[in-house]
mmCIF file of all heavy atoms in Angstrom:
data_model
loop_
_atom_site.group_PDB
_atom_site.id
_atom_site.type_symbol
_atom_site.label_atom_id
_atom_site.label_comp_id
_atom_site.label_asym_id
_atom_site.label_seq_id
_atom_site.Cartn_x
_atom_site.Cartn_y
_atom_site.Cartn_z
ATOM 1 N N ALA Q 113 66.653 3.075 -13.510
ATOM 2 C CA ALA Q 113 66.293 4.387 -12.799
ATOM 3 C C ALA Q 113 64.997 4.077 -11.978
ATOM 4 O O ALA Q 113 64.967 4.514 -10.894
ATOM 5 C CB ALA Q 113 66.147 5.467 -13.795
ATOM 6 N N GLN Q 114 64.024 3.415 -12.646
ATOM 7 C CA GLN Q 114 62.735 3.173 -11.915
ATOM 8 C C GLN Q 114 63.055 2.263 -10.783
ATOM 9 O O GLN Q 114 62.425 2.479 -9.604
ATOM 10 C CB GLN Q 114 61.781 2.569 -12.854
ATOM 11 C CG GLN Q 114 61.230 3.394 -14.004
ATOM 12 C CD GLN Q 114 60.206 2.772 -14.792
ATOM 13 O OE1 GLN Q 114 59.501 1.911 -14.425
ATOM 14 N NE2 GLN Q 114 60.150 3.210 -16.045
ATOM 15 N N LEU Q 116 65.779 1.768 -8.946
ATOM 16 C CA LEU Q 116 66.684 2.382 -7.854
ATOM 17 C C LEU Q 116 66.197 3.762 -7.452
ATOM 18 O O LEU Q 116 66.870 4.394 -6.675
ATOM 19 C CB LEU Q 116 68.115 2.519 -8.367
ATOM 20 C CG LEU Q 116 68.712 1.077 -8.671
ATOM 21 C CD1 LEU Q 116 70.094 1.187 -9.108
ATOM 22 C CD2 LEU Q 116 68.691 0.216 -7.276
ATOM 23 N N ASP Q 117 65.028 4.193 -7.861
ATOM 24 C CA ASP Q 117 64.424 5.550 -7.536
ATOM 25 C C ASP Q 117 65.345 6.683 -7.920
ATOM 26 O O ASP Q 117 65.708 7.498 -7.111
ATOM 27 C CB ASP Q 117 64.107 5.546 -6.030
ATOM 28 C CG ASP Q 117 63.046 4.623 -5.663
ATOM 29 O OD1 ASP Q 117 62.096 4.404 -6.426
ATOM 30 O OD2 ASP Q 117 63.153 3.988 -4.606
ATOM 31 N N LEU Q 118 65.886 6.734 -9.222
ATOM 32 C CA LEU Q 118 66.722 7.726 -9.732
ATOM 33 C C LEU Q 118 65.845 8.486 -10.709
ATOM 34 O O LEU Q 118 64.973 7.926 -11.419
ATOM 35 C CB LEU Q 118 67.841 7.062 -10.462
ATOM 36 C CG LEU Q 118 68.703 6.049 -9.711
ATOM 37 C CD1 LEU Q 118 69.815 5.479 -10.640
ATOM 38 C CD2 LEU Q 118 69.276 6.534 -8.434
ATOM 39 N N GLU Q 119 66.125 9.837 -10.831
ATOM 40 C CA GLU Q 119 65.487 10.661 -11.674
ATOM 41 C C GLU Q 119 66.419 11.143 -12.810
ATOM 42 O O GLU Q 119 67.563 11.550 -12.579
ATOM 43 C CB GLU Q 119 65.039 11.913 -11.050
ATOM 44 C CG GLU Q 119 64.358 12.988 -12.012
ATOM 45 C CD GLU Q 119 63.887 14.168 -11.298
ATOM 46 O OE1 GLU Q 119 64.211 14.370 -10.159
ATOM 47 O OE2 GLU Q 119 63.266 15.018 -12.031
ATOM 48 N N ILE Q 120 66.109 10.804 -14.036
ATOM 49 C CA ILE Q 120 66.909 11.130 -15.247
ATOM 50 C C ILE Q 120 66.742 12.637 -15.515
ATOM 51 O O ILE Q 120 65.569 13.022 -15.796
ATOM 52 C CB ILE Q 120 66.725 10.299 -16.418
ATOM 53 C CG1 ILE Q 120 66.943 8.748 -16.104
ATOM 54 C CG2 ILE Q 120 67.531 10.686 -17.656
ATOM 55 C CD1 ILE Q 120 66.584 7.910 -17.240
ATOM 56 N N ARG Q 136 69.584 12.366 -10.458
ATOM 57 C CA ARG Q 136 69.762 12.503 -8.989
ATOM 58 C C ARG Q 136 69.010 11.443 -8.347
ATOM 59 O O ARG Q 136 68.105 10.766 -8.842
ATOM 60 C CB ARG Q 136 69.220 13.865 -8.577
ATOM 61 C CG ARG Q 136 67.622 14.047 -8.780
ATOM 62 C CD ARG Q 136 67.225 15.412 -8.268
ATOM 63 N NE ARG Q 136 65.772 15.532 -8.466
ATOM 64 C CZ ARG Q 136 64.933 15.105 -7.503
ATOM 65 N NH1 ARG Q 136 65.289 14.622 -6.356
ATOM 66 N NH2 ARG Q 136 63.534 15.260 -7.696
ATOM 67 N N LEU Q 137 69.326 11.071 -7.002
ATOM 68 C CA LEU Q 137 68.620 10.179 -6.195
ATOM 69 C C LEU Q 137 67.420 10.952 -5.795
ATOM 70 O O LEU Q 137 67.497 12.090 -5.309
ATOM 71 C CB LEU Q 137 69.476 9.742 -5.072
ATOM 72 C CG LEU Q 137 70.345 8.563 -5.268
ATOM 73 C CD1 LEU Q 137 71.556 8.913 -6.147
ATOM 74 C CD2 LEU Q 137 70.907 8.025 -3.993
ATOM 75 N N LYS Q 138 66.254 10.354 -5.882
ATOM 76 C CA LYS Q 138 65.022 11.028 -5.425
ATOM 77 C C LYS Q 138 65.066 11.168 -3.869
ATOM 78 O O LYS Q 138 64.519 12.107 -3.401
ATOM 79 C CB LYS Q 138 63.750 10.150 -5.825
ATOM 80 C CG LYS Q 138 63.578 10.110 -7.304
ATOM 81 C CD LYS Q 138 62.236 9.351 -7.605
ATOM 82 C CE LYS Q 138 62.167 9.311 -9.175
ATOM 83 N NZ LYS Q 138 60.927 8.523 -9.605
ATOM 84 N N THR Q 139 65.804 10.296 -3.138
ATOM 85 C CA THR Q 139 66.056 10.463 -1.803
ATOM 86 C C THR Q 139 67.536 10.455 -1.421
ATOM 87 O O THR Q 139 68.102 9.263 -1.688
ATOM 88 C CB THR Q 139 65.283 9.437 -0.893
ATOM 89 O OG1 THR Q 139 63.902 9.491 -1.241
ATOM 90 C CG2 THR Q 139 65.622 9.601 0.536
ATOM 91 N N PRO Q 140 68.226 11.531 -1.281
ATOM 92 C CA PRO Q 140 69.551 11.423 -0.966
ATOM 93 C C PRO Q 140 70.018 10.434 0.099
ATOM 94 O O PRO Q 140 69.312 10.384 1.004
ATOM 95 C CB PRO Q 140 70.010 12.826 -0.683
ATOM 96 C CG PRO Q 140 68.928 13.683 -1.397
ATOM 97 C CD PRO Q 140 67.735 12.812 -1.263
ATOM 98 N N MET Q 141 71.171 9.680 -0.073
ATOM 99 C CA MET Q 141 71.530 8.767 0.899
ATOM 100 C C MET Q 141 73.004 8.626 0.861
ATOM 101 O O MET Q 141 73.752 9.030 0.003
ATOM 102 C CB MET Q 141 70.790 7.406 0.722
ATOM 103 C CG MET Q 141 71.045 6.704 -0.587
ATOM 104 S SD MET Q 141 70.130 5.170 -0.911
ATOM 105 C CE MET Q 141 68.503 5.793 -1.093
ATOM 106 N N ILE Q 168 74.956 11.078 -1.135
ATOM 107 C CA ILE Q 168 74.840 11.134 -2.608
ATOM 108 C C ILE Q 168 73.532 11.879 -3.119
ATOM 109 O O ILE Q 168 72.463 11.392 -2.635
ATOM 110 C CB ILE Q 168 74.904 9.678 -3.215
ATOM 111 C CG1 ILE Q 168 76.236 9.035 -2.933
ATOM 112 C CG2 ILE Q 168 74.712 9.727 -4.776
ATOM 113 C CD1 ILE Q 168 76.208 7.581 -3.205
ATOM 114 N N GLU Q 169 73.756 12.874 -3.841
ATOM 115 C CA GLU Q 169 72.528 13.578 -4.366
ATOM 116 C C GLU Q 169 72.531 13.432 -5.898
ATOM 117 O O GLU Q 169 71.513 13.102 -6.413
ATOM 118 C CB GLU Q 169 72.604 15.016 -3.895
ATOM 119 C CG GLU Q 169 72.463 15.286 -2.414
ATOM 120 C CD GLU Q 169 72.332 16.686 -2.055
ATOM 121 O OE1 GLU Q 169 72.029 17.545 -2.911
ATOM 122 O OE2 GLU Q 169 72.457 16.976 -0.865
ATOM 123 N N ILE Q 171 73.918 11.825 -9.543
ATOM 124 C CA ILE Q 171 74.510 10.510 -9.938
ATOM 125 C C ILE Q 171 74.387 10.367 -11.417
ATOM 126 O O ILE Q 171 73.500 10.920 -12.064
ATOM 127 C CB ILE Q 171 73.701 9.365 -9.232
ATOM 128 C CG1 ILE Q 171 74.365 7.963 -9.633
ATOM 129 C CG2 ILE Q 171 72.315 9.371 -9.564
ATOM 130 C CD1 ILE Q 171 73.808 6.872 -8.680
#
Side-chain angles (χ1 to χ4, degrees):
Q114 290 184 29
L116 295 177
D117 297 320
L118 310 177
E119 180 183 2
I120 299 175
R136 65 181 183 87
L137 274 69
K138 293 181 180 179
T139 303
M141 61 185 68
I168 297 172
E169 296 186 15
I171 186 168

